[in-house]
Amino acid sequence: MTALEHSAEPGYDAAVVDLLGAMACAELLAFERLAYDATMAPTIDDKAELARMAVAEFNHHTALRARLVELGADPSAAMEPFVDSLTELHRRTTPADWLEGLVKAYVGDGLAAEFYREISRHLDAATRDLVLRVLADTGHSSFVVPRVRAAIAADARVAGRLALWGRRLVGEIMTQAQRLAGEREALASLIIGGTGPDGRDREGIDLAEIARMLGRLTEGHGARMADLGLDA
Amino acid sequence: MTALEHSAEPGYDAAVVDLLGAMACAELLAFERLAYDATMAPTIDDKAELARMAVAEFNHHTALRARLVELGADPSAAMEPFVDSLTELHRRTTPADWLEGLVKAYVGDGLAAEFYREISRHLDAATRDLVLRVLADTGHSSFVVPRVRAAIAADARVAGRLALWGRRLVGEIMTQAQRLAGEREALASLIIGGTGPDGRDREGIDLAEIARMLGRLTEGHGARMADLGLDA
């Protein structure tokens, strides 16, 4: 594990492999679901926009996979623990139509970006660089905003339905995230900065820090719903 | 239409826009269907392989779209005439399982490559360069070969079912191609070299040349089925 040579803590190395495995798996499934949702596009140009976003997710997957290989980990084994719960998350949040697909793409892209920003604060330099590179390449979902706003302008009832959908999405995502955090303690500890590359280990999870992070994520989600013209 | 300045024939320009529109549409739908078929993958690595192929198709779509813009054409309008028949083709050839998806990916990728090779002989230099660049980036389907062969080795009955599927695929593709050729005469004429950038126009379609091209495509298809261990 040459790339983690500054790590003073074996728990940190395992947690980083877990984190990269979770991200690589999430990006691959995001690719797959966005590509599937693109089948509902009303025009060929809309289809191409969502497809472009899917391709960006796949490129992130490829970068994360390469980093796992660099760390001496088996990417397939690193992703495996996350396949079922992330597949289940997508199954529970399958959009019923194009507009629900757009809102999911926007909300999901935004939450992923914030998650990457949060986690980057607790990582060794090489892993942080990768996460920030992936983060810099998110935001392909801005095409969603005028489309959702136009749909609401054309039919105000759409706003109520999509607001409900947005709340359902964030609820399902938070539920699965909590379930995963319970199952993968080292990963959860890494995410909130309890396990660091400096060997610092606060022994257990800081509940106040979790609450602050959830607060920031919820606030960001509210801002994105507002972008779309929706109540959070 | 600066990039077609060597064209002596207005019919050629329109046919090239038609060709690029058909290819751009086909590549985008191939992306979408491969990504969808990736949902049937038995492992996360298999999923990533088919996803990688889908991403290559999307990159081709992007290159073709850019060329349409260069030619002063509206990519969306250029693709539009092909959306319904290509969507219908995919609907009629939806794989029932992962192995059928693999065979479709391999057969489709191979036929597309041969089609690009055929058509490149009749194009102006700039369009030919683009088509050859796309062609050089096909062939991401070779991962299919060991997987299909392993499935046949594990259960010999699989070979009969997949051979039938391969015949069905090529039959549906040829049927839709003939229908399209009937509807888009300028395009059909371009494909077989009846309309060239030198202004040559043989007035009508050379049936012997069509037969020779179909012969070459069928031969290539047979070779690819043999790669997979299947009777054509």
Side-chain angles (χ1 to χ4, degrees):
Chain A
M1 297 223 173
T2 54
L4 284 177
E5 64 225 356
H6 303 299
S7 168
E9 217 229 310
Y12 175 76
D13 296 2
V16 163
V17 167
D18 234 26
L19 172 71
L20 297 175
M23 286 173 63
C25 183
E27 294 279 5
L28 182 57
L29 293 180
F31 158 82
E32 183 174 280
R33 293 308 168 130
L34 285 170
Y36 178 71
D37 295 345
T39 60
M40 296 187 286
T43 73
I44 192 95
D45 277 336
D46 287 317
K47 196 187 282 293
E49 285 284 7
L50 209 59
R52 180 167 300 122
M53 212 180 137
V55 168
E57 312 289 11
F58 185 77
N59 292 337
H60 303 161
H61 162 79
T62 304
L64 292 159
R65 171 186 284 265
R67 176 71 181 151
L68 281 164
V69 171
E70 259 175 39
L71 295 178
D74 172 9
S76 189
M79 289 188 279
E80 190 52 42
F82 306 99
V83 174
D84 285 350
S85 54
L86 291 174
T87 301
E88 173 66 9
L89 174 61
H90 281 292
R91 199 192 59 73
R92 295 179 64 90
T93 57
T94 302
D97 60 17
W98 172 243
L99 284 173
E100 289 192 3
L102 286 182
V103 172
K104 182 177 175 182
Y106 195 70
V107 163
D109 199 42
L111 275 176
E114 288 203 47
F115 174 76
Y116 294 165
R117 206 172 291 124
E118 291 283 340
I119 183 75
S120 67
R121 301 187 296 146
H122 309 305
L123 297 170
D124 61 285
T127 310
R128 182 172 56 239
D129 284 353
L130 168 63
V131 170
L132 292 177
R133 225 163 50 234
V134 168
L135 174 61
D137 186 53
T138 56
H140 294 279
S141 61
S142 54
F143 76 96
V144 164
V145 177
R147 283 166 169 80
V148 170
R149 287 188 163 268
I152 295 170
D155 178 0
R157 287 168 306 177
V158 163
R161 178 166 71 85
L162 292 182
L164 212 63
W165 171 242
R167 283 195 284 278
R168 163 112 181 267
L169 284 173
V170 80
E172 293 284 357
I173 291 168
M174 292 300 182
T175 303
Q176 280 294 345
Q178 278 168 28
R179 190 169 303 159
L180 266 178
E183 285 166 22
R184 318 287 300 175
E185 264 197 44
L187 176 58
S189 180
L190 174 70
I191 289 171
I192 60 158
T195 304
D198 55 1
R200 176 193 64 211
D201 191 343
R202 297 201 202 110
E203 296 278 328
I205 290 174
D206 180 341
L207 289 175
E209 179 52 33
I210 292 188
R212 279 192 294 274
M213 189 174 88
L214 288 179
R216 289 190 294 269
L217 291 178
T218 306
E219 206 174 307
H221 173 70
R224 282 184 296 278
M225 292 294 275
D227 293 344
L228 298 175
L230 299 173
D231 293 330
Chain B
M1 296 221 173
T2 55
L4 284 175
E5 64 226 353
H6 303 300
S7 168
E9 218 227 310
Y12 175 76
D13 296 2
V16 162
V17 168
D18 235 27
L19 172 71
L20 297 175
M23 286 173 63
C25 183
E27 294 280 4
L28 182 56
L29 293 179
F31 158 82
E32 183 175 279
R33 294 306 168 132
L34 286 169
Y36 179 71
D37 295 344
T39 59
M40 297 186 287
T43 72
I44 193 96
D45 276 338
D46 286 318
K47 196 186 282 290
E49 285 284 7
L50 208 59
R52 181 167 297 123
M53 210 179 138
V55 168
E57 312 288 11
F58 185 78
N59 292 337
H60 303 161
H61 162 79
T62 303
L64 292 159
R65 172 187 281 264
R67 176 72 180 149
L68 281 164
V69 171
E70 258 175 38
L71 295 177
D74 171 8
S76 189
M79 289 189 279
E80 190 51 43
F82 306 100
V83 174
D84 285 350
S85 54
L86 291 173
T87 301
E88 173 67 10
L89 174 61
H90 282 293
R91 201 192 59 74
R92 295 180 64 91
T93 58
T94 302
D97 60 18
W98 171 243
L99 285 173
E100 288 192 4
L102 287 181
V103 171
K104 182 177 175 182
Y106 194 70
V107 162
D109 198 44
L111 275 175
E114 289 205 45
F115 174 76
Y116 293 165
R117 206 172 289 122
E118 290 282 340
I119 183 75
S120 68
R121 301 186 297 146
H122 310 306
L123 297 171
D124 61 284
T127 311
R128 181 172 56 238
D129 285 353
L130 168 62
V131 171
L132 292 177
R133 225 163 50 234
V134 168
L135 174 62
D137 187 52
T138 57
H140 294 278
S141 61
S142 54
F143 76 96
V144 163
V145 176
R147 283 168 170 80
V148 170
R149 286 187 165 270
I152 295 171
D155 179 1
R157 286 167 307 176
V158 162
R161 178 167 71 86
L162 293 181
L164 210 63
W165 172 242
R167 283 196 283 280
R168 163 111 181 267
L169 283 174
V170 79
E172 293 284 357
I173 291 168
M174 292 300 184
T175 302
Q176 279 295 346
Q178 277 168 31
R179 190 169 303 160
L180 267 179
E183 284 166 22
R184 318 288 300 176
E185 264 197 42
L187 175 58
S189 181
L190 174 70
I191 290 170
I192 60 159
T195 304
D198 54 0
R200 176 192 64 209
D201 190 344
R202 296 199 203 113
E203 296 277 327
I205 290 172
D206 180 341
L207 289 175
E209 180 52 32
I210 292 188
R212 279 192 294 274
M213 188 174 89
L214 288 179
R216 289 190 294 270
L217 290 178
T218 307
E219 205 174 308
H221 173 70
R224 280 184 298 277
M225 291 293 277
D227 292 343
L228 298 176
L230 299 173
D231 293 330

